[in-house]
């Protein structure tokens, strides 16, 4: 079923009401699909392999449905000292947030570019509920990385 949302433009009459109506339509569709939204508390992000984490940058959401879930995950890690072409797990969340789903497909491009133009890849391993990085050809000496991904969880 498609949801027909009203376009909201700056300065329109009834803008707040139209926004609320859009939210109500989305909520009704989630309920129809037996969906729910779960926020992962920032305290639930666990660092792995000696990285540090900026707790204020941690945000995790899981949109759960009957046969799949959508996950959004973001954070910022520090203490990144790695050689090029290195794969590491960085942050984990409790597996209970995954609702038993065992597969993950990203919605976007996994490649990231740091402020100093180093390329790296970010991904997610549902078997460990862990975000991963791959340093590509760049060497990291006590740097930081933005960790962000969104995708679908399924079996």
């Amino acid at each position: 079923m498609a949801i027909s949302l009203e376009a909201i433009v700056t300065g329109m009459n009834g803008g707040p009401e139209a926004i609320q109506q859009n939210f109500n339509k989305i909520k009704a569709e989630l309920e129809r699909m037996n969906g729910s939204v779960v926020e992962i508390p920032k305290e639930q992000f666990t660092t792995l392999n000696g990285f540090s984490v900026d707790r204020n940058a941690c945000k995790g959401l899981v949109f759960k449905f009957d046969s799949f879930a959508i996950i959004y995950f973001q954070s910022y890690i520090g203490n990144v000292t790695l050689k090029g072409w290195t794969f590491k797990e960085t942050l984990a969340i409790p597996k209970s947030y995954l609702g038993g789903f065992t597969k993950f497909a990203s919605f976007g491009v996994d490649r990231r570019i740091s402020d100093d133009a180093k390329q790296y890849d970010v991904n997610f391993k549902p078997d460990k509920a862990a975000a991963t990085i791959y340093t590509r050809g760049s060497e990291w000496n006590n740097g930081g990385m933005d960790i962000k991904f969104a995708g679908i969880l399924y079996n």
Side-chain angles (χ1 to χ4, degrees):
M1 172 182 209
I3 302 174
S4 177
L5 300 177
E6 182 177 344
I8 310 296
V9 295
T10 303
M12 73 181 272
N13 288 332
E17 293 81 8
I19 291 170
Q20 186 60 50
Q21 288 174 352
N22 284 347
F23 278 122
N24 290 343
K25 289 177 185 178
I26 292 169
K27 182 178 181 221
E29 183 64 7
L30 283 173
E31 288 171 356
R32 185 193 72 78
M33 295 175 65
N34 194 26
S36 64
V37 179
V38 177
E39 185 170 356
I40 303 168
K42 61 186 177 184
E43 297 80 17
Q44 296 277 313
F45 285 67
T46 303
T47 57
L48 304 170
N49 293 311
F51 298 111
S52 64
V53 65
D54 177 356
R55 292 262 175 236
N56 293 323
C58 293
K59 182 164 181 115
L61 295 170
V62 180
F63 304 85
K64 294 183 177 183
F65 301 96
D66 289 336
S67 59
F68 69 96
I70 297 169
I71 185 169
Y72 172 78
F73 187 110
Q74 78 176 37
S75 190
Y76 187 85
I77 60 167
N79 295 340
V80 181
T81 301
L82 296 169
K83 299 214 178 288
W85 311 111
T86 302
F87 174 87
K88 287 282 183 187
E89 295 169 354
T90 60
L91 289 169
I93 56 173
K95 283 183 76 170
S96 59
Y97 286 108
L98 306 186
F101 296 112
T102 59
K103 297 177 183 169
F104 172 78
S106 177
F107 284 151
V109 177
D110 299 333
R111 181 80 30 91
R112 300 280 181 262
I113 300 175
S114 68
D115 291 340
D116 55 350
K118 294 178 182 174
Q119 292 187 24
Y120 61 101
D121 294 343
V122 175
N123 210 322
F124 184 69
K125 291 177 64 175
D127 61 327
K128 295 187 177 181
T132 63
I133 56 171
Y134 182 62
T135 59
R136 315 261 335 132
S138 302
E139 191 166 312
W140 294 74
N141 186 13
N142 199 27
M145 290 180 170
D146 186 34
I147 305 295
K148 255 185 209 180
F149 63 84
I152 189 165
L153 296 164
Y154 63 101
N155 285 323

